[in-house]
Amino acid sequence: MKDYTKLSASEKEALVKKAIDAAYNYEKTYGSCAQSCLGGLRDAFPDLGITDEMFKVSYGLAGGCGCCLEGTCGALSGAAMAISILKGRDKEHMDDDFSACYDKIKKVIADFRSKYGVTCREVQTAMLGDCYDFFTEEGEAGYNAKDGDENCARAVGYSTKLVAEMIVNGDL
């Protein structure tokens, strides 16, 4: 992957903004927080290694995994996937120490948690004052009444920002 640390401050800022804006727009237009995070990062950093297959498999992680609302926010799951591309282990290195990957993910989680929480339920409650099940009429109405798409798009933009900044600052 290209060494993004060699860019000027304004070039780094522009790449981070591109990632945030793309992720925000994916989420606002299509939904799927994990995919949206990965899509924004792929648009800004095409050499990161986010493949079409990875993008596809991330779809089911939305809404706390399968939109169950109980699991980790998909925006965090997408961020963890992106970090794992650069710091995770592959099959040939299963015995090696890859704790740096977890350390980077924990850093993103800690920052995201301080603003939103970690589970989809916590994130929705922090943003909307309650949690809404997208698959019920009542839940969808409540989510829409509180501008859930806008709020979730902002959370996705935030998780994407955290990873993009790690990339341009050489923390990944």
Side-chain angles (χ1 to χ4, degrees):
M1 187 169 91
K2 176 180 175 176
D3 182 358
Y4 291 97
T5 64
K6 295 181 180 185
L7 298 175
S8 70
S10 63
E11 290 172 315
K12 290 177 184 180
E13 186 178 313
L15 273 176
V16 170
K17 183 175 178 354
K18 180 177 181 176
I20 294 166
D21 291 348
Y24 171 92
N25 288 325
Y26 282 125
E27 177 64 23
K28 185 86 170 150
T29 305
Y30 304 107
S32 187
C33 32
Q35 268 191 329
S36 297
C37 177
L38 288 177
L41 290 166
R42 183 169 69 172
D43 286 1
F45 307 99
D47 59 342
L48 178 59
I50 298 170
T51 65
D52 290 341
E53 291 81 14
M54 293 167 82
F55 184 78
K56 183 177 181 179
V57 300
S58 69
Y59 180 73
L61 300 175
C65 194
C67 291
C68 74
L69 310 174
E70 298 300 326
T72 301
C73 170
L76 280 175
S77 294
M81 287 179 72
I83 291 168
S84 295
I85 291 169
L86 298 175
K87 295 291 181 185
R89 68 181 182 190
D90 56 26
K91 188 176 177 185
E92 288 76 38
H93 298 95
M94 296 291 285
D95 288 332
D96 294 352
D97 179 13
F98 284 87
S99 58
C101 181
Y102 293 144
D103 293 343
K104 300 296 181 185
I105 293 168
K106 286 177 184 178
K107 183 178 180 191
V108 169
I109 289 171
D111 194 330
F112 193 89
R113 175 187 280 128
S114 70
K115 190 170 179 125
Y116 296 110
V118 173
T119 68
C120 181
R121 181 172 300 285
E122 292 169 343
V123 172
Q124 277 197 40
T125 301
M127 295 183 309
L128 310 176
D130 204 350
C131 183
Y132 301 96
D133 183 348
F134 318 117
F135 295 105
T136 67
E137 212 172 287
E138 180 183 340
E140 184 179 7
Y143 183 81
N144 291 335
K146 299 273 182 97
D147 208 5
D149 288 341
E150 172 67 25
N151 284 285
C152 283
R154 280 194 227 132
V156 168
Y158 191 71
S159 71
T160 304
K161 170 186 177 285
L162 296 173
V163 176
E165 286 177 343
M166 290 175 124
I167 293 169
V168 300
N169 292 327
D171 294 332
L172 278 180

